[in-house]
Amino acid sequence: MKPARLLLLLSGCALLLAPAVRGCGPGRVVGSRRRPPRKLIPLAYKQFSPNVPEKTLGASGRYEGKIARNSERFKELTPNYNPDIIFKDEENTGADRLMTQRCKDRLNSLAISVMNQWPGVKLRVTEGWDEDGHHSEESLHYEGRAVDITTSDRDRNKYGMLARLAVEAGFDWVYYESKAHIHCSVKSEHSAAAKTGGCFPGRALATLEDGARTPLWALRPGQRVLAMDGAGRPTYSDFLAFLDKEPRALTSFHVIETREPPRRLALTPTHLLFVAENASAPAARFRPTFASRVRPGHFVLVAAGGGGLQPAEVVGVRNRRDVGAYAPLTRHGTLVVDGMVASCFALVQEQHLAQLAFWPLRLYHSLVGWPGAQGDGVHWYSGLLYRLGRLLLPPDSFHPLGVPRVES
């Protein structure tokens, strides 16, 4: 094993066993030393974070077109009636309250931070979704993905720290744009760049050991689901956790379709699928391949009658949007979803390396049992392992959409 990969595996073990990581719930870990709170540094005037242009993958991503009230995409916008946020709404149309769910979540988080930072002060939104063309061409305000903000007291001495709080709240790009406001924006709801991993729609189906089929959102740790072992044989594998769980995310999926037998699987472009150039390849020789690289004429593995696996030719690839994104992890690192064999992993096109890197997490579950209810978002171990991988592996190991954020 190459030194970098061995170090990645060992680092994963260290992360899992570190007291600071185990003590993620309320209160201190017994015997640990309390760390002082991290000092927040205000952004300087005209500074932006991350330190890349707004409409690049490392920030909020490309402009996808203006949303009008009568357009199909208008349903992507949701109103924000948070009483802890003041909306200027100078047009008196409620437009400033309309935004994508991702923008709404970040804004609500920031509102809490503002009240904690300055008691008695609230977050104020001066510009949100723009339907009147008041912003520059291709502004993310036209998609409900950007807001301009101040504090309710309009104290400009607070704006540098307000920008820093916006970064901490999870906005994908924050710009101390003007002496009068801070500009914040987010990635598209359905952009693969908005996520750090690969997923399936929540309503996609897994097969349980008793033969019943269940939607992915309903999976519970300890259930055994149909998967594939390292030798290419069907097996039932323990479901451990979700590496990512976004119940409300509107996500863009690649849909892979076969005809003989007919199967249809939706998954994000960065997710791994097992693919071969011809039907004669044994199941164990099907290569893990990013979904975005699967083409008609390729062969994938599907569940067949009698409990076996067989190759099926891809006859179509298209895009589809769906609500909910889930990335289940099984003990074998594979899963049969909607009748097609897929990996549990994404971003790195090396199934064996990913399976090794998650060995400490599998060991942890073997020793301590199943966790309680899992919150939404990226699993902490998956997120930390991704950051370690970025430090230890060459850039071409990752899918192009797996662009890291570069903080300023």
Side-chain angles (χ1 to χ4, degrees):
M1 185 181 293
K2 293 182 179 180
R5 297 180 181 182
L6 178 60
L7 184 56
L8 180 63
L9 176 60
L10 295 176
S11 299
C13 296
L15 283 171
L16 191 67
L17 299 174
V21 171
R22 293 204 309 269
C24 57
R28 294 174 59 195
V29 178
V30 176
S32 66
R33 179 174 297 178
R34 187 183 299 275
R35 294 182 178 182
R38 183 166 60 91
K39 184 178 179 180
L40 298 178
I41 301 175
L43 264 66
Y45 180 56
K46 292 297 181 181
Q47 182 183 1
F48 43 86
S49 177
N51 191 26
V52 294
E54 180 180 29
K55 291 190 280 287
T56 59
L57 284 176
S60 292
R62 65 184 178 87
Y63 174 71
E64 298 186 352
K66 187 175 182 178
I67 296 178
R69 286 186 185 268
N70 61 355
S71 69
E72 174 69 18
R73 292 181 59 206
F74 184 68
K75 64 184 180 182
E76 296 177 16
L77 304 183
T78 181
N80 191 330
Y81 295 113
N82 189 335
D84 296 323
I85 303 174
I86 296 172
F87 291 88
K88 185 178 180 182
D89 194 21
E90 58 189 352
E91 299 89 358
N92 201 30
T93 62
D96 288 340
R97 292 183 181 271
L98 293 172
M99 58 196 68
T100 64
Q101 184 65 47
R102 185 177 180 86
C103 188
K104 180 179 179 178
D105 291 343
R106 272 58 180 177
L107 198 66
N108 289 343
S109 177
L110 176 58
I112 295 172
S113 299
V114 168
M115 292 189 295
N116 288 337
Q117 182 74 24
W118 302 291
V121 175
K122 290 186 176 183
L123 178 63
R124 176 173 174 260
V125 175
T126 61
E127 292 285 345
W129 174 57
D130 179 5
E131 59 181 331
D132 299 321
H134 295 320
H135 290 83
S136 60
E137 187 178 1
E138 297 193 353
S139 167
L140 298 186
H141 283 283
Y142 298 133
E143 296 183 65
R145 292 166 52 192
V147 289
D148 293 341
I149 59 174
T150 73
T151 54
S152 59
D153 60 2
R154 308 185 200 182
D155 180 356
R156 297 187 178 188
N157 293 323
K158 293 185 173 78
Y159 290 179
M161 181 57 74
L162 177 64
R164 175 54 63 188
L165 293 177
V167 173
E168 297 296 315
F171 278 97
D172 296 302
W173 199 70
V174 178
Y175 180 27
Y176 194 163
E177 181 178 35
S178 158
K179 294 285 188 180
H181 70 260
I182 304 299
H183 175 83
C184 311
S185 63
V186 297
K187 298 180 188 295
S188 165
E189 281 299 288
H190 53 272
S191 167
K195 307 183 69 59
T196 57
C199 300
F200 309 97
R203 61 181 176 176
L205 299 175
T207 303
L208 300 177
E209 196 167 18
D210 62 3
R213 303 181 78 193
T214 183
L216 297 185
W217 65 261
L219 284 175
R220 299 292 179 266
Q223 289 182 308
R224 291 171 60 80
V225 295
L226 184 60
M228 182 178 72
D229 66 16
R233 299 169 302 202
T235 187
Y236 284 94
S237 187
D238 292 328
F239 165 65
L240 303 178
F242 289 109
L243 298 182
D244 198 354
K245 179 183 174 187
E246 302 283 355
R248 295 179 300 277
L250 181 62
T251 306
S252 181
F253 294 98
H254 267 49
V255 181
I256 313 296
E257 298 186 54
T258 65
R259 183 175 296 141
E260 296 180 5
R263 298 287 187 270
R264 182 181 295 127
L265 174 65
L267 69 174
T268 46
T270 60
H271 210 101
L272 294 178
L273 200 60
F274 296 96
V275 175
E277 298 290 337
N278 56 71
S280 62
R285 295 296 180 89
F286 275 61
R287 302 187 313 276
T289 304
F290 292 127
S292 63
R293 296 176 182 170
V294 177
R295 299 287 183 268
H298 286 162
F299 287 82
V300 295
L301 290 169
V302 301
L309 301 177
Q310 71 176 67
E313 184 177 358
V314 176
V315 295
V317 179
R318 59 185 176 87
N319 292 323
R320 185 185 92 200
R321 294 181 189 176
D322 209 335
V323 175
Y326 292 77
L329 174 67
T330 67
R331 194 170 297 280
H332 285 81
T334 62
L335 184 71
V336 174
V337 180
D338 286 337
M340 197 176 297
V341 181
S343 171
C344 292
F345 308 118
L347 289 176
V348 178
Q349 194 168 300
E350 294 191 49
Q351 175 76 14
H352 182 64
L353 174 61
Q355 182 71 346
L356 278 176
F358 278 91
W359 172 80
L361 187 61
R362 296 194 299 275
L363 177 62
Y364 176 80
H365 284 297
S366 297
L367 296 175
V368 304
W370 313 111
Q374 182 177 339
D376 296 347
V378 177
H379 192 286
W380 63 265
Y381 185 83
S382 180
L384 290 173
L385 206 57
Y386 172 75
R387 294 180 180 89
L388 278 173
R390 274 292 172 189
L391 294 173
L392 301 174
L393 300 177
D396 60 4
S397 298
F398 294 85
H399 191 283
L401 287 177
V403 176
R405 286 188 56 169
V406 181
E407 294 295 343
S408 61

